[in-house]
Amino acid sequence: MEKLLKGKLPRHIAIIMDGNGRWAKKRFLPRIAGHKAGVSAVRNVVENCRRLGIEILTLYAFSSENWNRPSREVNALMDLLGDFLKSELKEMLKNNIRLTTIGEIERLPGSALKCLQSVCEETADNDGMILNLALSYGSRNEIIKAVRRIVSDYSEGKLTPSDINEERFSRYLFTANFPDPDLLIRTAGELRISNFLLWQLSYTELYVTNTLWPDFRKDDLIKALEDYQKRERKFGRTSEQIERENWKGKMCNPKDG
Ligand code: IPE
Ligand code: IPE
Ligand code: MG
């Protein structure tokens, strides 16, 4: 942990929490038992990210495609979400964590939606870590919604085609107020994005672990962060350019080195 703090930490971590079903299957348990076990991993990662001083933690909790799962599983996931929110509110207030969401949350059942909205409101003034839950979230849908709003603003004369640039477009997405993730972690080994943050991940560092989500603990997070700290983020430039800039930065701010 101490070694980590000396290096550069990501401001924004996003996680595709996958593998709950496989975790349960390995133990001859119903899939829902895997989701229940996954909730402990959520508590754990929230606490560890907060301690490390991560600014934003975005968790992919339910995709727009996950609505196609058997209704029993969907209902159980919605109940778990409600229970999690009710049990975590006190902890979030104590730890200065603000809850936000991305996705079509209006599709959630009334009881889960009510809990969600109330926790978001009650934690709105917290200025410690942001816990951002992706719920009923699909990135293609997010982009389509953005385009619809842009067209509507255009037809009302609020913008012209030349007003649209990357920065302006980003402001029409669910993630309008957040910087792009620096690090994406996917558990359970699949090498795909599964309709998550397609626009926002353009220059995000990707880290995939075979650990199943319910088993993901502090050591796994630290491994991901250590790996991240070894990466050279070039954003299209050459290593030499990056080195020169780092060197210049150190000359200007010798204490930061
Ligand atoms: C991730 O675990 C949780 C959700 C998608 C809600 P899965 O349920 O996808 O687990 P696997 O992929 O079947 O193991
Ligand atoms: C992605 O996992 C969605 C969440 C983690 C919430 P899935 O298990 O739904 O993804 P696929 O179907 O394997 O791509
Ligand atoms: Mg899965």
Side-chain angles (χ1 to χ4, degrees):
M1 199 83 148
E2 268 175 24
K3 208 170 84 195
L4 264 185
L5 289 172
K6 288 191 187 129
K8 210 169 163 51
L9 284 169
R11 282 182 73 188
H12 183 176
I13 299 179
I15 306 185
I16 302 178
M17 309 183 290
D18 197 17
N20 295 352
R22 277 162 278 178
W23 185 94
K25 197 170 180 186
K26 261 174 54 181
R27 289 162 177 78
F28 306 101
L29 293 169
R31 294 179 54 82
I32 292 159
H35 296 314
K36 279 189 187 151
V39 176
S40 314
V42 170
R43 287 201 182 95
N44 189 273
V45 80
V46 169
E47 179 56 11
N48 285 315
C49 284
R50 184 190 70 80
R51 284 194 186 168
L52 281 163
I54 303 300
E55 282 176 51
I56 306 160
L57 173 65
T58 295
L59 299 178
Y60 202 6
F62 193 84
S63 73
S64 41
E65 288 74 22
N66 289 150
W67 289 115
N68 298 323
R69 292 193 177 192
S71 55
R72 244 172 70 107
E73 181 168 344
V74 170
N75 293 340
L77 281 165
M78 293 302 142
D79 289 346
L80 275 179
L81 172 67
D83 294 347
F84 170 78
L85 293 167
K86 278 180 211 145
S87 68
E88 286 320 281
L89 175 61
K90 228 172 107 188
E91 202 64 13
M92 284 190 230
L93 291 172
K94 189 181 99 193
N95 292 326
N96 199 21
I97 294 173
R98 176 174 177 202
L99 185 78
T100 59
T101 63
I102 52 172
E104 289 189 305
I105 56 162
E106 61 282 2
R107 288 183 71 187
L108 299 183
S111 53
L113 182 60
K114 238 172 90 185
C115 276
L116 196 60
Q117 285 170 331
S118 114
V119 178
C120 287
E121 272 167 36
E122 291 197 51
T123 61
D125 294 331
N126 290 352
D127 57 4
M129 187 177 81
I130 292 175
L131 170 61
N132 181 37
L133 293 184
L135 289 162
S136 188
Y137 175 87
S139 192
R140 286 188 169 185
N141 174 263
E142 174 185 41
I143 292 169
I144 297 288
K145 282 192 142 183
V147 171
R148 283 197 193 129
R149 282 177 47 223
I150 288 170
V151 172
S152 147
D153 283 355
Y154 169 74
S155 64
E156 287 172 26
K158 289 184 190 157
L159 49 81
T160 64
S162 59
D163 288 335
I164 296 297
N165 53 29
E166 292 184 12
E167 206 266 321
R168 191 86 183 246
F169 185 81
S170 298
R171 279 193 260 143
Y172 281 88
L173 298 172
F174 288 128
T175 48
N177 302 314
F178 304 138
D180 290 339
D182 302 292
L183 171 65
L184 172 77
I185 299 173
R186 181 168 189 147
T187 60
E190 307 298 343
L191 298 175
R192 56 176 172 261
I193 296 297
S194 302
N195 205 9
F196 192 41
L197 303 174
L198 300 179
W199 168 276
Q200 298 87 338
L201 295 177
S202 294
Y203 267 106
T204 300
E205 296 298 326
L206 309 180
Y207 178 87
V208 177
T209 169
N210 287 327
T211 302
L212 303 175
W213 177 251
D215 293 326
F216 192 89
R217 287 293 178 276
K218 189 171 164 186
D219 286 356
D220 301 278
L221 177 67
I222 289 182
K223 263 191 225 155
L225 290 169
E226 281 174 350
D227 200 274
Y228 170 82
Q229 290 185 332
K230 286 187 207 131
R231 311 274 181 98
E232 185 182 31
R233 304 189 74 191
K234 296 199 285 191
F235 300 96
R237 286 170 299 168
T238 66
S239 294
E240 290 72 22
Q241 286 176 300
I242 306 288
E243 271 162 34
R244 214 173 304 133
E245 269 159 39
N246 287 344
W247 184 78
K248 267 196 218 152
K250 271 185 198 152
M251 293 301 283
C252 297
N253 304 300
K255 278 186 199 143
D256 294 350

